[in-house]
Amino acid sequence: MATLLIVGGGIGGLATALSIARRGHEAVVLERNDRFAELGAGIQLAPNGIEALDRLGLGDKVRERAVHIDHLRFMDGVTGEHVVSMPLTADYRRRFGNPYVVVHRGELHGMLLDACLASPRIQLRAGHGVTAYDQDDTGATVILATGERITGDAVIGADGIRSAIRRQLVGDGEPRISGITVYRSLIPIELVPDELRWNAVTWWAGPKCHFVHYAIAGGRYLNLAASFDDAATRAIAGTPVEKQFVQSRFGALGEAPRQLLALGEDWKAWVLVDRDPVDNWTDGRVTLLGDAAHPMLHYAAQGACQALEDAVVLGDLLDCSAAEFGRRFDQYNHERRERTARIQRVSRESIKLWHPAGTDAKARNEKLSSMSATQLHDHVAWMHGARSFGAVLTGGASR
Ligand SMILES: Cc1cc2nc3c(=O)[nH]c(=O)nc-3n(C[C@H](O)[C@H](O)[C@H](O)COP(=O)(O)OP(=O)(O)OC[C@H]3O[C@@H](n4cnc5c(N)ncnc54)[C@H](O)[C@@H]3O)c2cc1C
């Protein structure tokens, strides 16, 4: 039995603690914040993310608590035209082995946390900010902000997009600022007009903007996320914004999406950031996972799903002694880089589909509306339908 130090107690770090504890190793999770918690609202989980949760023993709980979505619904946000819907019901669920769901982020994190607390092999240490790592032939050490050193057999950096472990290991500086701001709010479902209450994740696409909403928390709230291409140059995260300001950003949208936006209160803004894919995120007994390894824009709704997949693949590979960890980390990195890099690229490219105006928007609508349900399913099969989560599945897949 070995001891692995996991830096970061987000969705990726906790999932990894569970997957390596299931292999008989000890996990020590070091979280910078004073408590283990997750901010924010809804999170979409495609079948691949639920498959990963099944392998961690949490799939049933998530399926039970989540809202099971029937459609991904694409609307022209200016004209109000329904362009296309991808059904997520019987054929989709049969083909990909699971439903497409949304959960409250805090609820998902809470389920992972409870499972970690119940494991005698997992130690959770809040208030432990890590600044650097060190290693030799016998083990790996993290250095805390206090100067304290903690040594184990290996280190996994699951410390998010501004990872301290990545800074030392990859050294690629600050994240790339996308120039897009997303505004988020939650509204009680009873405020939503009946004719707009679809059991769907709905996109309203408009010029240089789009607006997404879906129900969360057992259907009690509608989660609103409205993106605007404002060429922002400074990263912000969770900054409160005036309601009137948000409404002014989306004045180009038609009546229905504006009606929903007007219901939002307590808006918060994030300027979206990501990074370019890298081939190598492993250094001997130290590796990265989740957003620390492959941060992506949230437009494919796959960041958490990919962190969960990483956790499962890494856990499966660590069925070995500590002497083997370096080699197994390389193998994990190799198996995961192609698939995650592709999703990083797809997430960026999706903006080109959602933000055009005029004739480009019309051409997009014509193309999308001509696609059958099967064609739409084929398009996402490589991503949503993955079961082994490695590079091997992404090779010849359709797109
Ligand atoms: C607006 C938005 C919507 C999204 N929607 C979806 C979605 O629908 N579906 C989906 O799958 N994904 C979605 N994502 C992506 C998803 O939220 C992330 O990919 C996922 O949370 C990454 O998890 P993580 O554990 O790798 O990193 P994080 O969640 O960033 O967790 C990192 C943890 O490390 C801690 N930490 C940081 N630095 C240190 C340090 N130096 N020492 C110790 N601890 C440290 C942090 O406090 C944090 O707890 C969305 C993201 C955004 C921004």
Side-chain angles (χ1 to χ4, degrees):
M1 184 179 67
T3 301
L4 292 103
L5 307 175
I6 299 172
V7 183
I11 290 168
L14 295 184
T16 305
L18 287 177
S19 78
I20 62 184
R22 287 163 83 86
R23 287 279 164 223
H25 300 302
E26 287 205 335
V28 180
V29 186
L30 304 164
E31 166 57 46
R32 173 179 61 183
N33 291 334
D34 290 341
R35 59 192 197 96
F36 284 79
E38 180 78 38
L39 295 176
I43 195 153
Q44 302 171 52
L45 296 173
N48 59 308
I50 304 179
E51 168 76 18
L53 286 161
D54 267 328
R55 305 241 212 122
L56 298 172
L58 291 172
D60 284 342
K61 272 197 184 136
V62 171
R63 277 185 292 268
E64 192 187 310
R65 305 262 279 275
V67 176
H68 295 220
I69 299 291
D70 287 342
H71 297 279
L72 299 182
R73 187 179 176 97
F74 193 88
M75 310 287 291
D76 186 309
V78 177
T79 63
E81 171 196 353
H82 171 232
V83 178
V84 70
S85 282
M86 178 160 93
L88 303 173
T89 42
D91 286 348
Y92 176 92
R93 290 174 193 172
R94 206 174 306 117
R95 179 167 174 183
F96 300 137
N98 253 311
Y100 189 102
V101 305
V102 293
V103 281
H104 194 284
R105 192 177 272 271
E107 234 177 1
L108 175 63
H109 188 265
M111 288 182 223
L112 291 163
L113 187 60
D114 287 346
C116 286
L117 287 167
S119 168
R121 296 204 181 98
I122 299 175
Q123 290 179 45
L124 300 172
R125 299 193 195 162
H128 280 61
V130 171
T131 57
Y133 68 85
D134 203 0
Q135 61 180 320
D136 60 23
D137 290 345
T138 59
T141 299
V142 291
I143 298 122
L144 302 187
T146 55
E148 187 190 339
R149 298 169 71 90
I150 301 175
T151 298
D153 293 293
V155 170
I156 299 168
D159 47 346
I161 188 164
R162 290 193 167 74
S163 162
I165 304 298
R166 181 182 178 117
R167 192 183 316 126
Q168 181 176 345
L169 199 159
V170 181
D172 57 352
E174 286 298 304
R176 182 194 74 108
I177 296 179
S178 69
I180 295 177
T181 303
V182 61
Y183 302 93
R184 305 178 87 192
S185 175
L186 277 185
I187 54 178
I189 202 77
E190 55 274 15
L191 297 182
V192 179
D194 282 347
E195 65 276 15
L196 296 177
R197 281 195 210 178
W198 305 306
N199 184 20
V201 175
T202 303
W203 276 256
W204 300 91
K208 292 175 80 172
C209 69
H210 72 279
F211 168 37
V212 177
H213 54 80
Y214 50 82
I216 59 162
R220 294 193 304 282
Y221 292 93
L222 196 69
N223 182 75
L224 313 180
S227 294
F228 186 76
D229 185 349
D230 57 0
T233 54
R234 194 172 62 85
I236 56 167
T239 305
V241 206
E242 289 296 325
K243 175 178 180 161
Q244 286 72 17
F245 182 76
V246 177
Q247 286 178 279
S248 71
R249 287 301 212 194
F250 297 92
L253 295 183
E255 195 186 330
R258 277 192 291 114
Q259 195 182 354
L260 287 171
L261 284 167
L263 296 171
E265 304 285 349
D266 300 326
W267 287 93
K268 295 199 174 56
W270 281 257
V271 169
L272 298 176
V273 289
D274 69 355
R275 293 181 186 275
D276 291 331
V278 290
D279 279 347
N280 182 44
W281 64 63
T282 298
D283 170 20
R285 288 170 178 257
V286 183
T287 194
L288 302 175
L289 181 140
D291 277 6
H294 40 68
M296 51 188 70
L297 298 183
H298 69 283
Y299 293 141
Q302 279 284 326
C305 294
Q306 293 309 305
L308 292 167
E309 288 189 5
D310 284 349
V312 167
V313 172
L314 187 58
D316 284 354
L317 285 166
L318 293 186
D319 188 15
C320 62
S321 69
E324 282 282 292
F325 282 174
R327 209 168 57 81
R328 299 294 175 102
F329 281 0
D330 280 338
Q331 199 178 338
Y332 146 78
N333 188 157
H334 184 76
E335 282 193 21
R336 293 293 295 154
R337 68 184 175 207
E338 191 185 321
R339 174 167 170 77
T340 53
R342 186 171 174 188
I343 299 176
Q344 284 176 289
R345 287 192 290 270
V346 166
S347 300
R348 273 189 200 173
E349 284 163 15
S350 61
I351 295 162
K352 292 187 197 143
L353 185 72
W354 298 340
H355 287 192
T359 49
D360 289 344
K362 203 159 172 275
R364 171 205 60 204
N365 292 354
E366 277 167 18
K367 188 172 167 205
L368 286 179
S369 61
S370 71
M371 291 177 78
S372 68
T374 306
Q375 285 172 322
L376 291 164
H377 292 168
D378 289 347
H379 190 71
V380 297
W382 66 277
M383 190 160 49
H384 293 189
R387 296 291 182 89
S388 82
F389 311 142
V392 66
L393 264 190
T394 65
S398 64
R399 206 170 147 185

